[in-house]
Amino acid sequence: MSEDGAPDESGQDPAEAASGAVETAAFVLGLRARGVRDAAVLGAMERVPREAFAPLAFRDLARRDLALPLPCGQTMTAPSVIATMLAALNPQGARVLEVGTGSGYATALLLRLGAAEVVSLERYATLARNARSRLDALGFGGAMVGLADGCAPPEEVGTFDRILVNGRLRDLPPALVDRLNPGGRLVGALGTQAGPRLVAIAQEADGPWRQVRETPLRIGPLTPGLAGIL
């Protein structure tokens, strides 16, 4: 920053930089107040700008704990929900399958959290194309974003140490659970009579072990299959 308050070498106005830092700090503190305690997840969410993934018309709301509209009738999940799922997933060093790319925000967080590899599958061509371009532009080109039905992944993508399901399902497809490596973990959301709840599946030697937790999740439904349009 120059002494006269002119933009620094990065081209960013010092006042804007200070305002952004304050907003980011408030965003992280707000997540902590909503029960997010995982330090790695909070650090990743501090460093990955959600506003860069939000539609232009809603960027002023990106640092609030709100779900935001996306094209194709989809939604960008609220930050506290993503944080809860990522904390349960623990993707560091893992080969990760993400079901439902959406905006690409969770994809970027997975990479920032140290996932060794991320394969993200999206059923809508528009979302997959936009997310791929956005991730590349922001320096998250390490993710493979593909157009496919994530609930029935194509054979060529292989198996995974972790699977993140970005949406609510009535039940988890066996074809998806079968893609877990031994010792692997899947995290998603199931619809219950009490509303969407966090579900975690661990792939153990004697078969998958499933736990539906009492953690409520405000998350939209995930539709299996490949979209015929959009």
Side-chain angles (χ1 to χ4, degrees):
M1 181 178 73
S2 65
E3 292 182 359
D4 61 2
D8 59 21
E9 294 180 356
S10 69
Q12 186 174 24
D13 181 89
E16 290 182 0
S19 176
V22 170
E23 189 175 8
T24 298
F27 175 66
V28 173
L29 288 172
L31 291 173
R32 287 183 59 87
R34 288 171 174 81
V36 180
R37 293 288 184 268
D38 189 289
V41 171
L42 288 170
M45 300 189 87
E46 181 178 11
R47 298 176 67 187
V48 176
R50 188 175 185 242
E51 60 272 16
F53 294 86
L56 184 60
F58 300 101
R59 284 187 180 173
D60 59 330
L61 301 175
R63 290 282 170 160
R64 300 186 187 181
D65 193 30
L66 299 171
L68 301 177
L70 290 175
C72 307
Q74 301 305 292
T75 56
M76 190 176 184
T77 304
S80 62
V81 175
I82 290 291
T84 298
M85 297 174 75
L86 290 174
L89 190 70
N90 186 21
Q92 186 174 11
R95 185 170 195 258
V96 182
L97 171 64
E98 180 187 24
V99 179
T101 311
S103 69
Y105 178 58
T107 318
L109 289 170
L110 286 167
L111 290 170
R112 182 62 73 188
L113 283 165
E117 182 183 0
V118 178
V119 176
S120 186
L121 301 180
E122 173 57 56
R123 72 186 301 263
Y124 292 101
T126 299
L127 293 182
R129 181 174 59 252
N130 291 348
R132 188 184 300 113
S133 298
R134 191 177 296 115
L135 288 163
D136 287 345
L138 293 170
F140 293 101
M144 192 286 281
V145 178
L147 177 63
D149 177 8
C151 291
E155 290 292 333
E156 57 266 26
V157 300
T159 58
F160 298 87
D161 307 307
R162 298 287 187 272
I163 297 176
L164 176 66
V165 181
N166 285 326
R168 181 178 77 248
L169 291 169
R170 290 185 177 181
D171 207 351
L172 293 168
L176 192 57
V177 178
D178 287 346
R179 293 306 181 93
L180 278 177
N181 290 326
R185 185 183 309 164
L186 180 152
V187 171
L190 286 182
T192 72
Q193 290 184 342
R197 292 293 184 265
L198 183 73
V199 61
I201 289 183
Q203 188 65 274
E204 300 180 346
D206 56 350
W209 173 84
R210 171 166 131 169
Q211 180 187 42
V212 179
R213 304 183 184 178
E214 291 302 312
T215 309
L217 295 178
R218 294 174 294 150
I219 192 167
L222 183 73
T223 305
L226 191 62
I229 57 173
L230 303 178

